[in-house]
Amino acid sequence: MVPGARLIVLGKQGAGKGTQCVRLSRHYVIPHIATGDMLRAAVKKRTPLGEEARRYMDSGELVPDEVLMKMVGDRLDQDDTKERGFVLDGFPRTVNQADLLDELLAPAGLDIVLNLVVSTHIVLRRLASRRVCIDCGENYSVGTPPRVGWICDICGGEVVQREDDTEAAIKRRLDLYEKQTAPLISRFRKTGKLAAVRGDGPADAVSDRLVKAVDERRQPRAGAWS
Ligand code: AMP
């Protein structure tokens, strides 16, 4: 089996993080931890965390760290992530979250932070046509719909436009990305763990670039992975 890895994927909304994180998760056999998916599941189940998070998510605001960090900490504490590693998708999104993540991961730390680079006009086009399965989160678009109606090919769930993929919420999220998430890039660059990878072109080509970047930098830890 391919050894595990500890990865973060950064990139604007619509850069293709979801699709590429699923591929990285399959390639390295590591859990895909997407905070947006976890929060949407909590909203759907109407848990107290979901009720709290919904207020922020619907308007495209970031969910406060007090609400988010326990959820992330509990997930990183599970056996699969400890044994194999993880690919983090949508987290961290702020410098404070990155600092808190460092504390959670110490002393092992990360292997690599992948920055998926796609121009704003491409992400705007992708987000406007994006459709997702409300049950499993599989991504589709108006140009590449499910095989039958708007029914998910994978799980049979309903495929819809996300409530926060409206023009106003998209703009708010991209503004937030520039203000809060972009500074993460310089933070991780200073640690020497950042790799910028072009996110344009066919999904297979992007996956190949990501795997190459990971394999160049990944450092298996003795006894941790098999
Ligand atoms: P995403 O699916 O990653 O675009 O996330 C959808 C929404 O979930 C975001 O617009 C935020 O409201 C919330 N969210 C997801 N991840 C985070 C995070 N790391 N910090 C704060 N809020 C988050």
Side-chain angles (χ1 to χ4, degrees):
M1 192 187 285
V2 186
R6 294 184 177 89
L7 315 176
I8 290 180
V9 178
L10 298 179
K12 292 179 189 129
Q13 290 77 9
K17 290 194 299 290
T19 303
Q20 293 300 332
C21 285
V22 168
R23 288 165 169 244
L24 287 167
S25 153
R26 290 187 187 140
H27 183 85
Y28 293 107
V29 198
I30 50 178
H32 171 203
I33 302 180
T35 45
D37 289 349
M38 292 168 83
L39 289 168
R40 275 185 290 278
V43 168
K44 203 172 156 207
K45 280 197 207 142
R46 296 177 168 265
T47 65
L49 180 137
E51 295 291 303
E52 176 73 13
R54 162 176 240 143
R55 298 195 284 136
Y56 301 91
M57 294 170 75
D58 282 351
S59 54
E61 300 289 331
L62 291 186
V63 173
D65 292 348
E66 310 83 79
V67 181
L68 191 82
M69 285 313 296
K70 178 160 184 338
M71 178 184 89
V72 173
D74 287 349
R75 183 65 190 87
L76 289 174
D77 204 31
Q78 288 174 19
D79 288 346
D80 57 348
T81 53
K82 284 189 183 157
E83 282 161 21
R84 300 278 315 157
F86 47 79
V87 53
L88 286 174
D89 171 0
F91 180 90
R93 261 178 158 90
T94 63
V95 171
N96 188 47
Q97 289 180 5
D99 293 342
L100 295 170
L101 178 66
D102 272 353
E103 286 170 25
L104 285 175
L105 295 181
L110 291 161
D111 290 308
I112 182 168
V113 180
L114 297 153
N115 182 25
L116 204 50
V117 184
V118 178
S119 69
T120 299
H121 77 271
I122 294 182
V123 302
L124 282 173
R125 205 177 53 211
R126 284 186 187 168
L127 288 170
S129 72
R130 174 162 78 176
R131 301 293 181 269
V132 293
C133 170
I134 55 173
D135 288 330
C136 73
E138 180 71 4
N139 272 295
Y140 299 90
S141 74
V142 173
T144 52
R147 285 195 296 269
V148 181
W150 288 99
I151 304 294
C152 180
D153 293 342
I154 313 271
C155 75
E158 192 186 353
V159 175
V160 298
Q161 182 165 34
R162 268 171 51 169
E163 281 177 23
D164 59 357
D165 275 348
T166 60
E167 205 180 317
I170 289 171
K171 187 169 177 314
R172 175 87 191 114
R173 282 149 66 212
L174 287 174
D175 284 351
L176 268 180
Y177 180 82
E178 288 306 328
K179 284 200 194 88
Q180 298 198 281
T181 311
L184 278 178
I185 291 165
S186 38
R187 179 193 187 277
F188 285 123
R189 188 175 291 122
K190 283 185 204 138
T191 67
K193 300 226 161 143
L194 187 80
V197 175
R198 275 180 32 228
D200 59 318
D204 284 348
V206 179
S207 304
D208 289 347
R209 287 176 212 142
L210 289 168
V211 166
K212 186 166 175 277
V214 174
D215 288 346
E216 277 168 9
R217 295 178 187 227
R218 190 175 46 151
Q219 303 192 348
R221 295 169 183 80
W225 299 323
S226 54

